[in-house]
Amino acid sequence: MARICPLFSGSSGNSTYILSSEGGILIDAGASFKSLCESIEVAGGSLDTLRAVAVTHEHGDHIKGLKTLLKKTGVPIVASQKTLETLIKADLIPQDTKTLYAEQTKEICGIGIERFATSHDCEGSSGYVIKLADGKKIAVCTDLGIVTDEVRNAITGCDAVLIESNHDIEMLKRGPYPPQLKLRIMSDNGHLSNNACATELTGLLKSGTTRFILGHISKNNNLPMLALSCAKATLADIGAKNGSDYILTVAKPCSNEVTLI
């Protein structure tokens, strides 16, 4: 049985740990090396079984502990060519790191890795589908302004999906952010709202997804209860109930809660 653990989620840092019998995959490393190590151990894993770090993009809240983690463990980094070029140019990863283009990487130590492009305000931004030996598929899909056909095709049919539910539109509009930043967040290269996220859940449920984790929830423009209620209400419109037809949770800013599949 595989474990999915959003170690960190939100504007302050993002990192998701997926552990199966084949080993562990870390998606993003947006916390200190010490914090990452401690959280992985509490989640039931260890650095000894870590097979790779897949990076979605180069923003600081996704790579804070990346350089130290790669230096200490020697595991390869998987990312889009554009993201790798940016990280190398900015000296954000050790020079001797084994780099793997996500566009070409299909498997690491028996764990399948499928990259899909996301619509965010940087080149090469990615989401990932992790395919396990038992056939189960887990998607991590955050930092995207819209759900494109490529994103939808990639995550459809996954057993579990961690998807962004970043902001409540009204809270964002009334909030303290300057107008330009608000427009950026609401743009096609920004972040998904609760409403946009909830709409995607209905299609995912129909495709067979039964585990949903709402991630990257804004500290200033959202509340976990708002994200949950929006998702539940939308799924209720198609007759689905949490706890019987699906299991829905919210990724906390710092947590070791595990979802099993």
Side-chain angles (χ1 to χ4, degrees):
M1 186 170 287
R3 294 169 169 242
I4 314 162
C5 184
L7 306 178
F8 303 92
S9 183
S11 303
S12 298
N14 296 274
S15 184
T16 301
Y17 182 58
I18 298 171
L19 179 64
S20 69
S21 58
E22 292 77 40
I25 296 289
L26 195 65
I27 299 180
D28 289 329
S32 70
F33 174 69
K34 179 181 179 182
S35 296
L36 289 168
C37 291
E38 291 174 347
S39 295
I40 287 172
E41 289 179 1
V42 173
S46 70
L47 291 184
D48 292 337
T49 59
L50 187 64
R51 304 305 183 207
V53 181
V55 175
T56 60
H57 61 296
E58 72 271 15
H59 288 167
D61 58 322
H62 292 258
I63 64 163
K64 180 179 179 180
L66 179 63
K67 189 171 185 178
T68 302
L69 180 68
L70 294 173
K71 183 177 180 180
K72 296 285 188 180
T73 64
V75 299
I77 176 177
V78 179
S80 70
Q81 182 174 348
K82 289 289 187 181
T83 297
L84 284 174
E85 289 173 352
T86 299
L87 294 173
I88 292 169
K89 185 177 181 180
D91 192 30
L92 293 171
I93 60 176
Q95 292 184 356
D96 59 350
T97 297
K98 182 179 181 181
T99 57
L100 302 172
Y101 291 156
E103 295 91 340
Q104 301 170 358
T105 301
K106 301 301 180 185
E107 185 178 291
I108 295 177
C109 298
I111 303 171
I113 297 179
E114 177 183 319
R115 181 248 177 188
F116 54 89
T118 54
S119 179
H120 200 43
D121 57 351
C122 60
E123 290 191 85
S125 182
S126 307
Y128 293 96
V129 173
I130 305 301
K131 300 180 180 180
L132 306 178
D134 62 1
K136 297 288 180 63
K137 296 193 297 182
I138 301 165
V140 175
C141 182
T142 66
D143 294 74
L144 67 167
I146 56 172
V147 177
T148 62
D149 288 342
E150 179 177 352
V151 171
R152 190 172 292 113
N153 290 338
I155 67 177
T156 293
C158 286
D159 297 276
V161 176
L162 190 160
I163 186 169
E164 177 172 66
S165 189
N166 177 257
H167 59 276
D168 174 82
I169 295 175
E170 292 306 315
M171 280 188 69
L172 176 60
K173 288 180 178 179
R174 297 194 306 265
Y177 285 5
Q180 187 174 359
L181 179 54
K182 291 180 181 181
L183 290 174
R184 176 242 170 192
I185 292 171
M186 290 188 288
S187 75
D188 287 353
N189 294 316
H191 293 276
L192 278 190
S193 68
N194 291 342
N195 292 338
C197 171
T199 298
E200 294 303 318
L201 299 188
T202 59
L204 287 170
L205 182 63
K206 291 176 181 178
S207 78
T209 305
T210 58
R211 302 289 189 273
F212 299 112
I213 303 172
L214 306 182
H216 215 305
I217 291 177
S218 171
K219 180 180 179 180
N220 297 312
N221 303 304
N222 206 358
L223 294 170
M225 62 173 290
L226 290 177
L228 274 173
S229 62
C230 184
K232 287 180 181 178
T234 302
L235 289 166
D237 287 342
I238 62 170
K241 295 182 179 180
N242 188 26
S244 55
D245 300 305
Y246 64 90
I247 295 175
L248 174 68
T249 58
V250 172
K252 298 177 181 178
C254 179
S255 176
N256 301 107
E257 292 184 4
V258 173
T259 296
L260 301 175
I261 67 166

